Amino acid sequence: MDKKILKMIEDYSEEKDFFGATSEKHICNAEENLGLKFPQSYRDFVKNYGSGGICGVEIEGVQGELGASVVKSTKRWRQLGLDINLIVIEDSGEFVRCMYSADVNDERVFSWIRGGKELSPRYNTFDDYVIDMFQEGIDNL
C-alpha cells in the first residue's frame, strides 16, 4: 500500500473509521461468494483494514464474522446490470466505483451508472483511487 495512504490514515483516522484487520479465511469466503478473486491491491487493503475509510470516505470490504459489504453491494449492482467480473468498492447509491477481478489483470478503478452501457475509467490503480478519495475527504473537513 502506498506510503501516502498510510500517512493519511495515521493523521486523520478516528476510532471505528475502519472495521479492522480481516482474516484470510473471511477474505476467501467473500471471494468465493462472488465467484472471483480480488485484485491484490484491494485484497491488501481489506486484509489490513477490513472496510471503511477516513473523513467520510467509505470503501466496501469484509467485516469478518459480520459478513462482507463488498459482497452485498456487488450482488445488488449485478442485479442492476453490473458485469459479473467486477467488484464494487464504493457504492454511492447513484453510481459505483468498481474494479475487475484479479483474473482480468486490470488494476484500474471505474465508475458505472445504473443501467449504463459502458464503464468510465477513473483511476489507474486502487491506490490512486484511495489517495484521491481520502484527499477529497481531508480537503472537505
Side-chain angles (χ1 to χ4, degrees):
M1 191 173 307
D2 190 289
K3 289 180 183 177
K4 188 170 185 176
I5 296 171
L6 299 174
K7 178 73 171 143
M8 291 171 148
I9 291 171
E10 180 183 320
D11 290 348
Y12 292 95
S13 69
E14 298 177 5
E15 188 176 344
K16 298 189 180 185
D17 277 348
F18 295 95
F19 175 79
T22 304
S23 73
E24 187 68 22
K25 172 188 166 192
H26 290 115
I27 294 170
C28 289
N29 286 345
E31 290 175 322
E32 184 177 311
N33 203 320
L34 291 173
L36 50 69
K37 294 287 184 192
F38 296 151
Q40 191 60 51
S41 55
Y42 175 72
R43 190 174 226 285
D44 291 343
F45 173 84
V46 170
K47 185 172 185 172
N48 289 305
Y49 297 101
S51 65
I54 60 170
C55 304
V57 174
E58 290 293 324
I59 300 172
E60 304 291 346
V62 178
Q63 297 82 28
E65 296 291 336
L66 298 177
S69 58
V70 66
V71 171
K72 181 178 177 184
S73 290
T74 300
K75 285 187 171 186
R76 177 176 167 263
W77 282 87
R78 282 178 178 174
Q79 291 176 343
L80 299 170
L82 184 71
D83 185 285
I84 197 163
N85 291 311
L86 292 163
I87 60 165
V88 172
I89 60 173
E90 176 191 344
D91 183 349
S92 78
E94 297 294 320
F95 67 91
V96 292
R97 302 265 195 238
C98 50
M99 294 180 74
Y100 278 107
S101 70
D103 298 337
V104 176
N105 199 25
D106 186 342
E107 286 284 320
R108 292 179 295 170
V109 174
F110 299 88
S111 289
W112 188 77
I113 298 171
R114 181 185 322 203
K117 300 291 182 208
E118 296 188 22
L119 295 170
S120 299
R122 300 292 299 175
Y123 301 95
N124 289 327
T125 67
F126 178 74
D127 284 355
D128 290 346
Y129 159 77
V130 174
I131 289 168
D132 187 57
M133 295 306 294
F134 282 4
Q135 189 61 57
E136 184 177 324
I138 291 165
D139 292 346
N140 288 325
L141 286 177

